Amino acid sequence: MGDTLSHFTPAENLGGIKALGLMPPAMLAKRAGIDPASITLRSTPVEFAIKGRSVRVNHQNPLLAGRRKADRFLDGHTLESWAAQLDTRIFLWRGQQGDAFARSLPSDMHRFDFDAATLYDLYRDHIWLSPINSGSAMRKPALRGDWIYVSANATRREFLHNRRTDERRHFINDRVKEISLTCPIPPDMLKVLRK
């Protein structure tokens, strides 16, 4: 996963993150008393408040780009259900991938840098690796389903050959392009993890 993993969030979220921790969008919505299904497939950022603290959740336009061809790249999901599962994850970027992603973001974004080894030691059962950007359906979107995510506990071989288990998944020697976390990081743990 590299030495450093980065997470990007709107600067206005910092107060809430420091007080409540880092949470996936679906969890944030629940904490705000909002049905998580009501924020899926959002074409603009969604804003709400938790305990008086501002929260802004980014749009899902890269996924919406595939709405006319969802049946060709989604396995076992609709566009809505895939968007919903994306909202149960905190996405992390590594090294140069994070730098490239940062350049595509608005200037008001804040970057959290985490020590990858410490994150792995503390949260390995909740870390998932993907060979694609699972939230993007731009250009020619790769086939994906729940199987696209490989546990950080898996062997290197299991990850490398994950997409070649049948005639549909013919890729070999995949590389990690995306890292996601399926649990929150409490405020006290953020201090332990930050570089």
Side-chain angles (χ1 to χ4, degrees), residues 98-117:
D99 296 337
F101 182 65
R103 288 191 290 275
S104 72
L105 297 172
S107 59
D108 68 339
M109 300 298 273
H110 179 81
R111 178 179 185 151
F112 284 94
D113 285 332
F114 300 123
D115 180 79

Side-chain angles (χ1 to χ4, degrees), residues 184-195:
I185 302 177
D188 57 334
M189 296 312 298
L190 285 173
K191 296 174 184 173
V192 172
L193 292 168
R194 291 187 73 176
K195 288 188 90 172

